[in-house]
Amino acid sequence: MSGPNTNYDPVEVTPLSPDEVARMRDEALAAIASARTLEELKEARIAHFGDKAPLTLANAEIGALPPQARAEAGKRVGAARAEVKRALAERTAELEAERDRQVLLTEAVDVTLPWDRMPPGARHPVTMAADRLTDVFVAMGYEVAEGPEAEAEWYNFDALNFPPDHPAREAQDTLFVAAPGDAGPGGKSSAHSGVILRTHTSPVQIRAMLSRPLPLFVVSPGRCYRADALDATHSPVFHQIEGLAVDEGLTMADLRGAIQSFVDAMFGEGLRTRFRPDFFPFTEPSADVSMECHICRGASARPGGEPCRVCRSQGWIEIAGCGMVNPRVLIACGIDPDRYSGFAFGLGIERTLMIGHGVTDIRDTTEGDVRFSRAFGTEI
Ligand code: DAH
């Protein structure tokens, strides 16, 4: 057994010697000073001020010293730790300030940037054209009437005086939903009438005559369907606007007046209109309406005139079908044809839009490409 080592002065011995404490302190201060991020500073704190840090271990050893050595060693280590602690606090404050400055710089919101990078939605040009056409007639005193797109064959054909074997009733023209007697979607079919997707807006004429008091002035914009393949001039889904007037003493002159007012309102005043005989089962007599080309005003059709793309150098553009309501249709709706007469007209909305804006491909109106819509402005 060895005796007590009287020369041993624990305060002067590693790790509590002044040199060693100073070394540990300087090492800690150097690590703290060189930490460039809060992350690095955290590592320095763990290494030099954590549970296993040399100064912490040294501090723990003080208790094991003889009493006379404790005070001095405690002071020395305590002062070193206090210095490290202060350096840590100062460096933390510096690095936090630096971090905040960076955040302000990198996450700053530039309030001068344009805010509407998501363009607002807008109504489709076909919708806008339909509204504009409707407005022209509403301004003349017409009311807006509506009918279903899945329509009974009776309204779409029979009541409009289409004979049972009329070619328009064939599957290559009409989209059928339910056969007569078949309940169909929503049980809409009856024993007498199948259900189809309406091929024109004319069935709304029948619905208006059956449900509204006379005299009657209605206009009816809406979607129609035909079994056509989509190409530059045909679309299986398109829009029409229908007009119907029933009153005592209406004549073809009233019809002409209504059509002329419509052309004046849509294409500007001064364009002539012309009627040519045509045939529709529900009007008698029937006519097709053309207006003078609003682009060349007929010049392209005259000798030496520049060619015109819009009217194909015809000078005239067909815009509508029309006629005096066939007395058989009035009778089908319970209206006395000896007392009342009526006129009707129907026109394609896409077609009117295309004529007015020089659109040459109907697919542009159906595909929903915003580059097309944008050219018409963004009316909400
Ligand atoms: N319904 C016809 C069609 O789709 C257009 C039409 C022609 C409507 C003459 C009418 C009219 O009201 O009188 O081709």
Side-chain angles (χ1 to χ4, degrees), residues 199-202 205 226 240 242-243 280 282-283 321-323 344-346:
T199 59
H200 50 178
T201 42
S202 301
Q205 288 188 29
R226 284 188 201 172
Q240 287 188 340
E242 190 84 14
F280 300 101
F282 41 93
T283 41
C322 69
F345 53 87

Side-chain angles (χ1 to χ4, degrees), residues 156 160 162 199-203 205 224 226 238 240-244 255 278-288 320-325 343-348:
N156 195 84
L160 288 165
F162 282 78
T199 59
H200 50 178
T201 42
S202 301
Q205 288 188 29
C224 307
R226 284 188 201 172
F238 57 98
Q240 287 188 340
I241 184 164
E242 190 84 14
L244 171 71
L255 171 59
D278 202 342
F279 174 79
F280 300 101
F282 41 93
T283 41
E284 183 56 36
S286 304
D288 80 50
C322 69
M324 300 305 291
V325 180
F343 64 77
F345 53 87
L347 48 111

